[in-house]
């Protein structure tokens, strides 16, 4: 076991919906136990307002986040890279764990369509936290 804090990079094309919701969930569920990053291969101008609304419904504020461009440096600095539809645009570095989460795209969807995406992301992030952050023995 190492003393290094795990770091996770969530990547989707626009860094405006799925990856921002995932990063919000990870910050919420793991606190400061995991370093959280998100980025996109073609970032949007702003976060999807319906994603912001969906996260606000569960008490998570992502309004302070902005879409960021995916850089090799951000990828290389991450121990786990989770892609959400960006395909081969994401660079691989030795020693990294990569996962590709197949999730519906919330872009252009109403809140009723985005809620199940948000909830699926929550479940996946919860499993990720349980895998990355040692739980105290009870």
């Amino acid at each position: 076991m190492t003393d290094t804090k795990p770091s996770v990079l969530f990547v989707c094309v626009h860094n405006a919906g799925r990856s921002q919701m995932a990063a919000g969930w990870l910050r919420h569920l793991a606190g400061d136990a995991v370093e959280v990053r998100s980025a996109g291969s073609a970032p949007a101008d702003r976060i999807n307002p319906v994603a912001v609304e969906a996260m606000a419904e569960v008490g998570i504020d992502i309004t302070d986040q902005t879409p960021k461009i995916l850089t090799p440096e951000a990828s290389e600095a991450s121990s786990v890279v989770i892609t959400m539809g960006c395909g081969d645009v994401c660079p691989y570095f030795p020693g990294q764990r990569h996962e590709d989460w197949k999730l519906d795209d919330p872009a252009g969807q109403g809140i009723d369509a985005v809620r199940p995406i948000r909830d699926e992301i929550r479940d996946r992030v919860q499993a990720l936290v349980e895998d990355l952050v040692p739980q105290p023995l009870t």
Side-chain angles (χ1 to χ4, degrees):
M1 180 181 246
T2 126
D3 293 332
T4 307
K5 181 191 311 191
S7 57
V8 177
L9 171 63
F10 294 103
V11 182
C12 67
V13 175
H14 300 296
N15 188 222
R18 294 165 290 188
S19 57
Q20 291 288 354
M21 288 192 289
W25 275 119
L26 186 55
R27 283 189 295 272
H28 178 76
L29 295 170
D32 63 359
V34 177
E35 188 175 345
V36 182
R37 298 180 180 92
S38 70
S41 54
D45 295 332
R46 63 187 176 113
I47 295 181
N48 180 334
V50 182
V52 170
E53 179 184 354
M55 294 301 285
E57 287 181 349
V58 293
I60 299 173
D61 182 5
I62 60 172
T63 58
D64 63 338
Q65 301 300 307
T66 56
K68 295 173 255 347
I69 187 75
L70 174 63
T71 64
E73 295 79 17
S75 181
E76 187 172 24
S78 303
S79 49
V80 179
V81 177
I82 298 177
T83 56
M84 303 174 168
C86 71
D88 294 333
V89 176
C90 303
Y92 284 76
F93 291 94
Q96 284 182 327
R97 170 177 158 188
H98 279 254
E99 295 182 21
D100 185 35
W101 291 359
K102 303 288 186 205
L103 296 161
D104 290 336
D105 189 347
Q109 304 292 325
I111 190 68
D112 290 334
V114 174
R115 285 183 185 118
I117 300 168
R118 173 201 65 201
D119 295 345
E120 183 176 353
I121 291 170
R122 177 200 57 220
D123 294 346
R124 289 177 185 232
V125 169
Q126 181 63 52
L128 182 67
V129 169
E130 291 168 4
D131 187 49
L132 293 177
V133 179
Q135 302 299 315
L137 298 174
T138 56

